[in-house]
C-alpha cells in the first residue's frame, strides 16, 4: 500500500491542530514543526534541543555552539517537550507508522556557528563533534518517542537540505567573500552513518530528506538510510535511482507543491510518479508498496488552507496507487 506524509513543517502556531490534521488525513502522520512560533520551534532549534553534551545559544547572527545553555535553547527544549506531550495524548492509540524529523549533521554543521564565529562546517573536529552529539542525543530522543507511541512503528526523517552545497563547496564563509571547502564523501558518509546507526539502534527506521537538486543518492544509500525523500521535479532520472531502488532503498516522491499554487492536480502528480518509475521499467506492482507520496518540501510557507489541501491531495494520490 502506498502511503502519504508531509515533510515536517506546518504553517501557524496551533500544534494540536496540525497534529490532528496529520492523524486524520495521512496514512503516515508525523509530529509537525511550527516555525511560526519562533526559531526555537524551527528545524534547527528543534534539533539543538536534542543534542547531548553540546550547549547552544541564539546570537544576533544565529545559533552558536559552545557558549553555554541560553534562554533560547531552554525555550526550544521546553517547546519540544510540550509538543511531544500533546502528540502523545493525541496519538496514544495510533497503530502503524508515525514520523518525527531531525536536522542532519551536514546541514547542522553548515548552519550553526562555532564559539568564536563562523560555521562548524569550517573545522573537521567541529563537524565530527556535532555529529557525535547529535547521534548520542538522538538515540535517547528516539527511545523516548517510541515509549510515547508504543503501538506505532517509528520513522525518523533526517533533513539534509544543505547536503549538496556542503559536498560541492557552496556554503559561504562568515565574510561572504569565499566558500567553505567541500566535505569529501568518505567523511560525509561517516557523519551520516553515525546518525543512522543511532536511529537504528534505538529501534526506528532511518529515512533522509533533501529538497535540493543533485541529491547524492549513492552516498545516502551507502550511509544506511532505508528511504530517500526528494522533490521529484528537481531530480535528473539517472540510472543511479533505479540501482538504488533495486538495492532495497525506497523512494519517497515529492509531487505536490509546498506553497500556494492555485490548484492541485492529482492527475499530474500521478503522472509524474508513473513517468519517473516507468523510465526505469518499473511497473506499479513493483513500486506501489515502497512509495510514499509527499509535498515537494515543508509547508511552513503555505497558508493553513493550502497545507490541508496538499496533504489531503497527497493521500488521495497515494490511495490511487
Amino acid at each position: 500500500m502506498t502511503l502519504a506524509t508531509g515533510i515536517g513543517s506546518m504553517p501557524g502556531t496551533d500544534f494540536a491542530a496540525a497534529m490532528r490534521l496529520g492523524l486524520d488525513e495521512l496514512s503516515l502522520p508525523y509530529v509537525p514543526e511550527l516555525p511560526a512560533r519562533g526559531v526555537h520551534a524551527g528545524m534547527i532549534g528543534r534539533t539543538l534541543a536534542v543534542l547531548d553534551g553540546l550547549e547552544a545559544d541564539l546570537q544576533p547572527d544565529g545559533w552558536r555552539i559552545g557558549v553555554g545553555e541560553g534562554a533560547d535553547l531552554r525555550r526550544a527544549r521546553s517547546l519540544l517537550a510540550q509538543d511531544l506531550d500533546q502528540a502523545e495524548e493525541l496519538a496514544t492509540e495510533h497503530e502503524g507508522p508515525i514520523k518525527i524529523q531531525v536536522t542532519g549533521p551536514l546541514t547542522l554543521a553548515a548552519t550553526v556557528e562555532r564559539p568564536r564565529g563562523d560555521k562548524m562546517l569550517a573545522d573537521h573536529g567541529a563537524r565530527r563533534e556535532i555529529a557525535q552529539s547529535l547521534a548520542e542525543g538522538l538515540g535517547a530522543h528516539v527511545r523516548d518517542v517510541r515509549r510515547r507511541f508504543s503501538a506505532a512503528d517509528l520513522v525518523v526523517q533526517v533533513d539534509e537540505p544543505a547536503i549538496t552545497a556542503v559536498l560541492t563547496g557552496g556554503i559561504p564563509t562568515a565574510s561572504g567573500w569565499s566558500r567553505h571547502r567541500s566535505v569529501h564523501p568518505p567523511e560525509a558518509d561517516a557523519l551520516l552513518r553515525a546518525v543512522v546507526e543511532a536511529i537504528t539502534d534505538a529501534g526506528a527506521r532511518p529515512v533522509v530528506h533533501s529538497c535540493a537538486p543533485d541529491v547524492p543518492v549513492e552516498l545516502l544509500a551507502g550511509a544506511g538510510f532505508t528511504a530517500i525523500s526528494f522533490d521529484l521535479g528537481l531530480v535528473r532520472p539517472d540510472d543511479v535511482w533505479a540501482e538504488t531502488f533495486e538495492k532495497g532503498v525506497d523512494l519517497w516522491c515529492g509531487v505536490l507543491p509546498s506553497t500556494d499554487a492555485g490548484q492541485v492536480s492529482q492527475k499530474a502528480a500521478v503522472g509524474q510518479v508513473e513517468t519517473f518509475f516507468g523510465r526505469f521499467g518499473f511497473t506499479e506492482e513493483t513500486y506501489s508498496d515502497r512509495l510514499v507520496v509527499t509535498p515537494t518540501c515543508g509547508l511552513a510557507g503555505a497558508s493553513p488552507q493550502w497545507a490541508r489541501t496538499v496533504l489531503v491531495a497527497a493521500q488521495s494520490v497515494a490511495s490511487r496507487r
Side-chain angles (χ1 to χ4, degrees):
M1 180 181 70
T2 299
L3 304 179
T5 192
I7 297 302
S9 65
M10 290 286 287
T13 59
D14 190 337
F15 176 84
M19 184 74 193
R20 286 193 201 98
L21 175 60
L23 288 168
D24 291 344
E25 303 294 346
L26 296 171
S27 47
L28 175 45
Y30 59 102
V31 179
E33 302 155 356
L34 276 67
R37 295 182 296 176
V39 293
H40 323 87
M43 184 177 76
I44 300 300
R46 265 281 210 259
T47 302
L48 292 176
V50 172
L51 297 187
D52 180 71
L54 288 180
E55 303 293 350
D57 193 19
L58 192 62
Q59 303 292 312
D61 49 359
W63 288 102
R64 183 171 293 186
I65 290 287
V67 290
E69 182 193 48
D72 293 292
L73 183 59
R74 289 194 294 273
R75 174 63 174 155
R77 287 172 171 163
S78 176
L79 265 178
L80 176 58
Q82 292 173 31
D83 288 353
L84 288 176
D85 286 343
Q86 283 197 72
E88 182 179 3
E89 290 181 17
L90 294 168
T92 185
E93 297 181 358
H94 175 76
E95 296 181 358
I98 194 167
K99 179 169 70 74
I100 61 173
Q101 302 78 222
V102 64
T103 309
L106 299 176
T107 296
L108 202 59
T111 307
V112 178
E113 297 202 339
R114 298 178 295 177
R116 295 185 179 181
D118 214 340
K119 302 293 189 288
M120 297 195 78
L121 184 64
D123 180 78
H124 173 80
R127 296 192 295 265
R128 184 176 62 250
E129 184 179 26
I130 200 168
Q132 291 174 343
S133 175
L134 175 59
E136 292 173 9
L138 187 55
H141 178 57
V142 170
R143 286 188 288 273
D144 174 55
V145 176
R146 285 189 65 235
R147 177 186 58 79
R148 292 173 182 270
F149 306 131
S150 57
D153 299 317
L154 185 60
V155 177
V156 181
Q157 175 185 300
V158 178
D159 288 316
E160 282 286 7
I163 189 169
T164 300
V166 168
L167 295 173
T168 58
I171 302 296
T173 59
S175 68
W177 293 105
S178 60
R179 297 287 187 269
H180 289 285
R181 293 181 178 178
S182 60
V183 174
H184 295 151
E187 181 189 351
D189 174 84
L191 301 178
L192 292 166
R193 191 179 295 271
V195 173
V196 168
E197 290 176 352
I199 294 169
T200 303
D201 290 347
R205 181 189 181 194
V207 171
V208 62
H209 167 75
S210 181
C211 50
D214 299 320
V215 176
V217 184
E218 290 177 297
L219 172 66
L220 296 174
F225 290 105
T226 63
I228 299 174
S229 171
F230 58 99
D231 180 345
L232 186 53
L234 294 180
V235 305
R236 292 177 295 182
D238 300 328
D239 288 343
V240 66
W241 289 101
E243 294 166 2
T244 299
F245 185 72
E246 288 176 332
K247 290 177 180 177
V249 178
D250 296 345
L251 300 180
W252 294 17
C253 296
V255 290
L256 284 309
S258 57
T259 54
D260 301 52
Q263 291 185 330
V264 172
S265 173
Q266 295 182 27
K267 181 178 180 180
V270 171
Q272 273 189 283
V273 172
E274 291 178 345
T275 298
F276 177 74
F277 283 100
R279 186 184 296 267
F280 306 119
F282 296 131
T283 63
E284 183 176 340
E285 292 74 19
T286 305
Y287 63 78
S288 60
D289 289 342
R290 297 175 55 194
L291 169 68
V292 176
V293 177
T294 77
T296 55
C297 205
L299 296 169
S303 67
Q305 289 176 310
W306 185 258
R308 174 179 288 277
T309 296
V310 165
L311 293 182
V312 170
Q315 185 58 56
S316 295
V317 171
S319 298
R320 293 174 63 176
R321 309 289 353 124

